[in-house]
Amino acid sequence: MVAQVVVDVIHSNVAKPFSYLIPEGMQPVVGSRVNVPLGRRTVDGFVVGLMEESQLPPELPPEKLKPISKMLDEYPALLPAMLDLAKEIAAETHCPLSEALRLMLPAAMRTGRIKQKQETVAVLACPDAEAEAAKLKRAPKRAMLLRLLADGRPRSISELSQLVQNPREGLKALEEAGLVKLMQREVFRSPYGEDDEKPSTQPPLTEGQQEALDSMLPAMEEGKGAFLLHGVTGSGKTEVYLAMASRALAMGKGAIILVPEIALTPQMVRWFRSRFGPATAVLHSRLSDGQRYDEWRRIRLGDARIVVGARSAIFAPVENLGLIVIDEEHEQTYLSDKHPRYDARRVAHSRCKREGATLVLSSATPSILSFAMARRGDYTLVEMPKRVADRPLPTVSIVDMRKELEAGNRSIFSALLIQKLRECLDSGQQAMLFLNRRGFHTFVSCRSCGYVVKCDACDVSMTLHRNPDHPEMDELRCHLCGATRKPPETCPECDSKYIRFFGSGTQRVEEEMHKLFPGVPTVRMDIDTTKGRDAHAKLLDDFGQGRAKVLIGTQMIAKGLDFPNVTLVGVVAADMTLNLPDYRARERTFQLLTQVAGRAGRAQTPGQVVVQTYKPEDPCILTAAAQDYRAFFEMEFSRRRTGLYPPFTLLARLLMESETELEAKQMCDRLYDTVQTYLLSHPAQKRRTLMVRADAAPVKRIRGQYRYHVLFKLFDHPDVSPLLSLMSELTSLSDEHCRIYCEVNPATMM
Ligand code: ADP
Ligand code: ZN
Ligand code: ZN
């Protein structure tokens, strides 16, 4: 027999599968990981096909083939469905198959750095432990060990040593006497704390929840269905996911629940572990290598049937999949920001179709794209328009910050927000303050000459981060590459002393808060405070347990979190996202505002929201304040139609990155010319092309790489696929001086 093997090496020379002989006695299947010789090296690879020697093409006689060196795992690492999925991703995102295959396994498994962990367990080997123990009067410790093992359950040495001091010797003796057997057993490194969740049961469902389930469960029983669940914040969507997962389990199937951000996994995991115990696994990139490897294997071996995780958990090796839920489906975090740039929602859709599972995209503020698809009939729309227990939606007040300034208030908090904060804290409730920027001041500039401190490696201004305990350690940080430097005392350009700091970030909100409300404990949640492995869970716990009264944060705290004691939400600067140079800026603003507002008043006390803005009349802000999704959708959808933006068009680009500006620019011009020539001779595609433009990217340099792009605006029509293929082919002109990427409707075009 001959195996087709894709080697785990990313290079265009080895993108195609190679043929290897299968040695006598080896039984690889499609999906097995193997070691194969490649040139003078040995590399890892995946078996992607099997054939008889007689099927080999004549130019490839079997005696020319080398044999597979060895098999790597005791079970095939890839399920057949996952191999097909990898092929599809490779085709759709224009990346080599080996790169798509890497998505399917924990990195630690590929690098081989992580080994399975073993422990010694003792198990009873005689029929009557009590009778044997009674004979051991002189050895009370051994008798005790026997009694502990009497129920026949294997117990690890570490477990036994909590009950009996130094059990090893006694166990050895018992083993020699043939009363106990010692064996090696695999342990799974667990990401869960010692005390797992207290079991919970399903509460009586609300009418809205029941109706939603009635429309979705029948489809799941038939192994089909794609739904868009549009439920207002606090309508109890999580309970719907739990009920669906429970039914999937009862059907002998598995489920994947995706949340948009690692910060939201602890809360979701808590819900699922309390309902389903160890049948729930968690997968995200903040787990240690060992934990990730072990959770992955618990899933692969079928011990865990339910997976909760962030984006990459969409590749969890759940066999016999029944359900995928994508919570907060509108979040752009579902688009991968690394190559291959897959969209977890598309991957989910394709997995569900292929594996006969039901897809539930869920949000209080569905993306324009998904809602439009639901209207077109691609998804079935299911709505939950009411909050649990008929709790009212929060009341929203809009504050015009221009008027605050006129009234002489230069603080970042309006008078109304301060008043509401006071009332909230006085009555023992909690508040959340939201600002979509971290750091203290967001840029530093010279009043005399206008110089702005920028990162040396990136074309962006640097943000001041204060060190409250050591002011001499204040630093400027680049939010793109992480570079730091000392804040200048005089202008590096003109030597003027009028160097000033502008703009506010979450650190500044925290400081103002402490000035206004001394002694009120707060927690801040942004990328800076959540670097450690358990940092998220710890901060959220401080707030959840009431040790902190105010949670200050970036968009991380905007969504999903459910803290019943929060009655006030303050949006410090609503315009920040509105002013981004992106056609989705309005959609993002609406989503953010609705989501943050939705954090308030989730229990008995009604919630209040204060939105501070310089554009109080903007329809985006008004519809968000009214929490009127339909009105926003209609407005935005027709604006996209007139402005020819997605979903009516495709935005795509070829992006060049090079250390030298000239090389990036030259490559950009060259590709632009190629495309123009192509369009001249292909009128059908020229007709579908609204715009082609060569330009420097909006952020011209990141991490020392100059960036140029050829931008395309195309009608979303099957006719343009040859042009997209051409774009994808052009990426092979990449060389060591200039890398080229093809991106279609990417998360950002910066
Ligand atoms: P959403 O995700 O739709 O914003 P959640 O799923 O977080 O809403 O639910 C909001 C709150 O309502 C949570 O505190 C949850 O425990 C509670 N809840 C949900 N369903 C029920 C129910 N059937 N009975 C009582 N409380 C419920
Ligand atoms: Zn200056
Ligand atoms: Zn930088």
Side-chain angles (χ1 to χ4, degrees), residues 199 324 454-455 483 538 571 616 722-723:
I324 299 181
K454 286 192 172 181
C455 173
K538 206 200 140 295
V571 180
L723 178 59

Side-chain angles (χ1 to χ4, degrees), residues 155-210:
R155 284 184 169 73
S156 69
I157 302 231
S158 54
E159 197 180 337
L160 289 169
S161 55
Q162 291 179 356
L163 306 161
V164 180
Q165 265 190 347
N166 297 325
R168 253 170 229 279
E169 233 170 88
L171 287 170
K172 266 264 149 51
L174 288 169
E175 187 185 30
E176 273 158 29
L179 300 174
V180 159
K181 248 208 291 248
L182 293 178
M183 1 183 242
Q184 293 294 304
R185 179 177 74 178
E186 180 177 6
V187 269
F188 292 97
R189 283 152 287 210
S190 160
Y192 317 100
E194 286 281 306
D195 37 283
D196 211 348
E197 298 315 314
K198 289 186 203 71
S200 74
T201 48
Q202 187 180 77
L205 297 177
T206 66
E207 216 172 287
Q209 287 166 333
Q210 193 57 56

Side-chain angles (χ1 to χ4, degrees), residues 561-709:
L561 297 177
D562 183 34
F563 293 110
N565 217 9
V566 172
T567 53
L568 175 67
V569 164
V571 180
V572 178
D575 319 290
M576 213 159 261
T577 35
L578 199 53
N579 295 331
L580 289 176
D582 189 315
Y583 74 92
R584 283 160 297 201
R586 300 157 58 84
E587 181 178 359
R588 299 241 166 92
T589 307
F590 179 85
Q591 288 162 350
L592 275 171
L593 288 179
T594 317
Q595 294 287 340
V596 279
R599 296 315 110 210
R602 294 169 71 84
Q604 285 71 21
T605 324
Q608 300 200 39
V609 182
V610 176
V611 176
Q612 305 189 152
T613 171
Y614 288 92
K615 288 185 185 162
E617 67 291 336
D618 189 283
C620 243
I621 292 187
L622 290 174
T623 46
Q627 314 208 31
D628 189 346
Y629 177 80
R630 286 294 177 114
F632 173 74
F633 175 83
E634 297 303 343
M635 181 175 79
E636 183 61 14
F637 195 66
S638 65
R639 201 186 64 92
R640 299 263 182 105
R641 181 182 304 146
T642 359
L644 291 170
Y645 284 111
F648 299 96
T649 54
L650 288 175
L651 290 182
R653 70 172 175 179
L654 284 163
L655 174 70
M656 345 282 142
E657 289 187 351
S658 171
E659 247 141 63
T660 56
E661 182 167 7
L662 187 66
E663 246 149 344
K665 188 168 182 333
Q666 278 175 346
M667 182 62 88
C668 183
D669 292 341
R670 177 173 158 203
L671 297 194
Y672 177 78
D673 291 343
T674 313
V675 170
Q676 288 294 10
T677 316
Y678 174 85
L679 287 178
L680 277 179
S681 55
H682 294 78
Q685 273 149 82
K686 191 167 167 53
R687 231 178 301 126
R688 306 279 179 203
T689 307
L690 285 155
M691 178 202 81
V692 190
R693 197 172 73 210
D695 212 345
V699 181
K700 200 169 160 190
R701 204 157 61 110
I702 297 182
R703 292 188 177 84
Q705 300 285 320
Y706 285 91
R707 310 166 77 242
Y708 274 75
H709 60 198

Side-chain angles (χ1 to χ4, degrees), residues 341-379:
R341 290 186 190 269
Y342 65 90
D343 180 341
R345 286 159 297 202
R346 281 180 75 103
V347 176
H349 203 168
S350 140
R351 265 197 92 164
C352 283
K353 270 203 242 149
R354 196 189 311 277
E355 298 173 51
T358 300
L359 175 67
V360 179
L361 300 175
S362 170
S363 175
T365 52
S367 60
I368 296 288
L369 180 61
S370 296
F371 203 81
M373 282 173 74
R375 283 229 297 212
R376 210 170 65 185
D378 295 345
Y379 303 129

